[in-house]
Amino acid sequence: MDIYDPVQVQAVWSRVMQPPQTAPDEETLLRWLAEERASAAAYRTLAARGGSFAPRLRHMAADELRHAGRLAALYFLLFGFRPQVFPAAADTDRSFGAALRSAYQGELAAAKNYRAAARRFPEQASMFESIAADEERHARMLWEMTAALMGRASPHRRRG
């Protein structure tokens, strides 16, 4: 940087003097809302196919809707109106096992994102920590369901 260039100096001071962001931006909150609602839809779809896993999957769907409700409340407090979110339709073409695998990876990623949000936005840290803990619990439940499925598979269908 040329310390004698007033344009460059002003650009640096503009960045330095900006107040810290105290809450997620609108786009981020809308994306998280859509993801939570899509997860709820996916778990409801899986519950319809899930046999003995159906109660756990329905419980997970309810958790995801509760997360969406908490995020929607934060959105309203920050922006003054109800969010308009239209989640993607649940993917019903995958096998049950593939859907569990995808959901497991999504839950781990969500937990990581919410933990980061808790560190970045201390005013909402308790909410983000609570959601992250739920997402981690969901990942454990998905792992347990997958392990149970693998235990049921016949030896000739197992992959090493």
Side-chain angles (χ1 to χ4, degrees), residues 82-142:
R82 298 184 104 177
Q84 296 296 313
V85 178
F86 305 97
D91 180 3
T92 58
D93 292 335
R94 287 186 285 186
S95 71
F96 189 77
L100 290 181
R101 180 176 184 270
S102 176
Y104 173 80
Q105 293 167 348
E107 294 292 348
L108 291 178
K112 182 179 177 181
N113 287 335
Y114 288 126
R115 293 262 183 234
R119 288 188 301 275
R120 185 167 180 205
F121 310 116
E123 293 84 359
Q124 295 93 28
S126 64
M127 179 189 69
F128 289 130
E129 286 290 343
S130 173
I131 294 174
D134 283 349
E135 304 296 19
E136 289 165 346
R137 183 173 45 82
H138 294 166
R140 282 191 304 276
M141 292 169 71
L142 291 162

Side-chain angles (χ1 to χ4, degrees), residues 20-117:
Q21 188 178 1
T22 60
D25 60 56
E26 184 175 11
E27 182 180 324
T28 300
L29 269 178
L30 288 173
R31 186 180 75 246
W32 289 346
L33 270 161
E35 289 168 357
E36 294 294 341
R37 289 183 180 166
S39 292
Y43 290 138
R44 283 192 305 268
T45 299
L46 286 173
R49 300 170 24 192
S52 63
F53 301 131
R56 283 186 272 180
L57 291 163
R58 281 193 296 272
H59 182 78
M60 291 166 65
D63 284 347
E64 299 296 354
L65 287 177
R66 188 173 42 81
H67 299 163
R70 295 178 79 186
L71 293 169
L74 177 60
Y75 184 95
F76 178 81
L77 291 171
L78 294 173
F79 304 107
F81 53 93
R82 298 184 104 177
Q84 296 296 313
V85 178
F86 305 97
D91 180 3
T92 58
D93 292 335
R94 287 186 285 186
S95 71
F96 189 77
L100 290 181
R101 180 176 184 270
S102 176
Y104 173 80
Q105 293 167 348
E107 294 292 348
L108 291 178
K112 182 179 177 181
N113 287 335
Y114 288 126
R115 293 262 183 234

